[in-house]
Amino acid sequence: MSTPTFPDWSPQVDENARILIVGASGGIGRALVSMLRKGPACTIGAHRNSTPEPVATEDGPQTILDLQQGLHSDDDCRALVEFFSDAAGGIDGLVVLSGFIGRGEHWRDLSGEQWEQSVQANLNIPFFLARAAMERMESGTILLTGTESALHGGSPTSLPYGVSKRGTECLVQGLAREGAARGVTVNGVRMGYIKSGAHERWLGKSPEDMKKRAEMVLLKRGGEPEEAAALIVYLLSGWARFITGQMIPLTGGDWL
């Protein structure tokens, strides 16, 4: 199936929203920043780890803070959230897109260090970021990312990633209970195969590999990063304030 034709409109966040995007230099992150730039004036914290090319900061009604920092600990996460919040005058939204998939070793062959690296990147860091953001939010939205494969036990070569993302689902529910009294909603997007470049970058997949992966999806294609971005912007918007504690699937019918 060819690339879908998108509508001529995009969802929008509230004017003057202050949104920190962790992992903004990936395929979905770039699409998200681009979509936010089509909306009203807001402040965007575009975080990257060590990607050589920064997120674009061309002139426009939005203020984009290009934030480069490695995230290895609770202290790192707290420092990033506090820096953005201080610079923007507060924080209304946190989107965590960062993560890590190993090079495809079977779980039998993983070292303890490899297991812990995946859990740290995909579960601990999102928790530390969400906790720091919730402490700073008067109201707002926290969005984490999951994977549809986690509902099915992951795979033999991505088990720690799947376990971590299944833990993210627990985080979303637990944090949503805590945030509700203060008007902080917490949700997640449970993604299937999105054409973000992550499979090629992390796992060395070829175009032929990705074509075969797309054939496994009910709609016979991978999701476009813009489709993920549109869902995320909607969940950040004022129309989603009665949604909390939910993992929203974006899968094209994968795993059905």
Side-chain angles (χ1 to χ4, degrees):
M1 184 177 290
S2 61
T3 301
T5 301
F6 296 134
D8 60 0
W9 59 272
S10 299
Q12 297 184 355
V13 297
D14 294 347
E15 190 171 11
N16 298 321
R18 299 155 299 186
I19 301 165
L20 173 59
I21 304 168
V22 179
S25 60
I28 296 173
R30 292 194 302 272
L32 178 55
V33 171
S34 178
M35 189 165 290
L36 288 171
R37 292 187 62 83
K38 297 176 182 178
C42 60
T43 301
I44 303 166
H47 163 268
R48 56 198 172 99
N49 185 3
S50 58
T51 304
E53 294 297 325
V55 175
T57 56
E58 62 266 21
D59 292 338
Q62 294 79 19
T63 298
I64 298 184
L65 303 176
D66 182 23
L67 308 172
Q68 183 173 0
Q69 178 180 336
L71 298 176
H72 307 291
S73 67
D74 184 15
D75 289 342
D76 290 341
C77 295
R78 187 172 300 277
L80 176 64
V81 170
E82 290 180 352
F83 180 88
F84 171 77
S85 181
D86 289 343
I91 179 170
D92 304 301
L94 168 70
V95 182
V96 182
L97 299 173
S98 60
F100 169 79
I101 301 178
R103 296 300 295 179
E105 296 90 349
H106 194 286
W107 58 261
R108 288 190 303 259
D109 303 318
L110 289 175
S111 67
E113 182 179 0
Q114 288 173 306
W115 176 274
E116 290 167 5
Q117 181 184 17
S118 185
V119 173
Q120 177 75 355
N122 299 307
L123 181 59
N124 297 350
I125 294 301
F127 167 66
F128 296 147
L129 288 164
R131 179 169 62 179
M134 188 174 287
E135 290 175 0
R136 286 273 180 141
M137 285 181 173
E138 296 180 4
S139 62
T141 299
I142 295 171
L143 290 176
L144 307 180
T145 48
T147 178
E148 185 71 12
S149 67
L151 299 186
H152 307 277
S155 76
T157 57
S158 65
L159 187 60
Y161 181 78
V163 168
S164 302
K165 291 299 187 180
R166 192 62 178 259
T168 298
E169 307 222 358
C170 181
L171 271 185
V172 163
Q173 292 180 322
L175 295 176
R177 286 195 299 268
E178 294 296 319
R182 294 165 45 209
V184 176
T185 60
V186 185
N187 292 294
V189 179
R190 185 192 299 126
M191 299 190 196
Y193 166 39
I194 306 296
K195 297 192 295 183
S196 66
H199 297 82
E200 297 89 333
R201 184 170 65 252
W202 286 339
L203 301 177
K205 297 293 186 179
S206 68
E208 185 62 29
D209 292 331
M210 301 323 300
K211 183 178 179 180
K212 291 178 181 178
R213 178 66 183 89
E215 285 297 314
M216 298 171 65
V217 179
L218 193 62
L219 292 181
K220 302 302 179 183
R221 68 175 179 89
E224 300 295 330
E226 292 80 5
E227 292 175 299
L231 177 57
I232 291 168
V233 175
Y234 172 76
L235 290 170
L236 289 167
S237 78
W239 284 111
R241 290 188 180 132
F242 199 58
I243 303 173
T244 196
Q246 305 303 309
M247 292 294 299
I248 312 297
L250 184 67
T251 68
D254 210 3
W255 296 91
L256 289 180

